[in-house]
Amino acid sequence: MWMRVEKEASYTAIIKAELHTAMGCTEPIAIAYAGSHARKLLGKIPDRVCIKSSGNIIKNVTSVIVPNSGNMKGVPAAAAIGIIGGKSDKGLEVLADITEDDIERTKEFLQK
């Protein structure tokens, strides 16, 4: 019996170490995180963006609303809102502090 409890404790410890909190569906969050990190590395908002990803990520991002985006969908929206208002230091909660102003600026960025 104690071996079973010990194994369960080991599994629980592994899960706690490996799982990370994310806002909503992880695919748009991952793209938003990449966008926010790119902006941080550049030190400014880029003029244009090229996103390369697997087909599975693209399919999933296309079919869900990007969290805190004002109901935007798709790869461009996920990347743009991450670039405009994302906080890369928050990891997979990159879009937690998005404001209405960030959403409007994201829409303008997408029009360019």
Side-chain angles (χ1 to χ4, degrees), residues 1-74:
M1 177 71 171
W2 70 271
M3 287 292 285
R4 181 174 169 212
V5 171
E6 192 174 287
K7 280 185 180 180
E8 287 177 8
S10 294
Y11 296 148
T12 301
I14 291 168
I15 289 170
K16 285 182 178 178
E18 296 296 324
L19 290 179
H20 303 280
T21 303
M23 292 185 66
C25 186
T26 54
E27 286 86 352
I29 291 298
I31 291 174
Y33 176 67
S36 70
H37 191 67
R39 184 200 67 235
K40 183 178 178 181
L41 291 175
L42 286 171
K44 66 176 190 166
I45 294 175
D47 295 328
R48 61 189 176 105
V49 179
C50 177
I51 302 160
K52 294 184 179 188
S53 181
S54 74
N56 284 334
I57 288 180
I58 292 169
K59 173 185 65 78
N60 290 341
V61 174
T62 302
S63 63
V64 299
I65 293 172
V66 179
N68 288 349
S69 70
N71 296 320
M72 289 187 274
K73 287 185 178 182

Side-chain angles (χ1 to χ4, degrees), residues 78-93:
I81 200 154
I83 289 167
I84 300 299
K87 308 279 188 299
S88 63
D89 60 322
K90 291 193 170 226
L92 296 178
E93 293 183 350

